[in-house]
Amino acid sequence: MDLSKAVSLKTIYVSPGSLAVPEFVEVLKETHVPVKVVSVGEQFPIFDSFLEVLYPSQIGDGGNNDSIVLYGDLLDKKFLFTGDLEDGELELIRSYANLPVDILKAGHHGSKGSSYPAFLGRSGAFIYWTK
């Protein structure tokens, strides 16, 4: 959590399952920043809009499939932020079959196997890869 030392954070948002990882919980404590567990449907204001939590819908083991997925309108575009979601992409397809997405932040730095082809085909989005 070097970021918490370089930037002033008001709150750290986590998925419920992430608290099942003792090492992660210890790092959170060391930041001395309030931690909030998010749930599906929760909304966070950003600019003149909001981002909504779409996933995870249940408590997991704190791994990649516990990544928080956020969706919302920013700058007249629909964004989907999937963290490093893996099999959870399939649940998103089932739960949000007609979700319009203009820009998808790809997980795992956009590596070749980062997303299911069915997931990428559904989004119809411009994909943003990170390095």
Side-chain angles (χ1 to χ4, degrees), residues 41-100:
E42 197 165 343
Q43 297 180 346
F44 303 98
I46 184 168
F47 302 119
D48 290 332
S49 189
F50 63 88
L51 292 174
E52 181 175 345
V53 177
L54 299 185
Y55 183 92
S57 58
Q58 52 191 322
I59 298 173
D61 64 2
N64 286 341
N65 277 315
D66 272 343
S67 292
I68 297 172
V69 174
L70 299 172
Y71 175 76
D73 289 317
L74 302 170
L75 308 171
D76 296 323
K77 298 289 182 202
K78 298 199 181 293
F79 282 75
L80 182 64
F81 301 95
T82 60
D84 278 342
L85 201 59
E86 293 171 348
D87 294 338
E89 289 181 349
L90 301 175
E91 184 178 328
L92 283 178
I93 291 171
R94 286 188 297 274
S95 299
Y96 305 98
N98 298 312
L99 188 69

Side-chain angles (χ1 to χ4, degrees), residues 19-32:
L19 298 179
V21 181
E23 298 85 8
F24 182 64
V25 172
E26 190 58 37
V27 170
L28 289 173
K29 288 178 184 176
E30 291 172 8
T31 67
H32 304 289

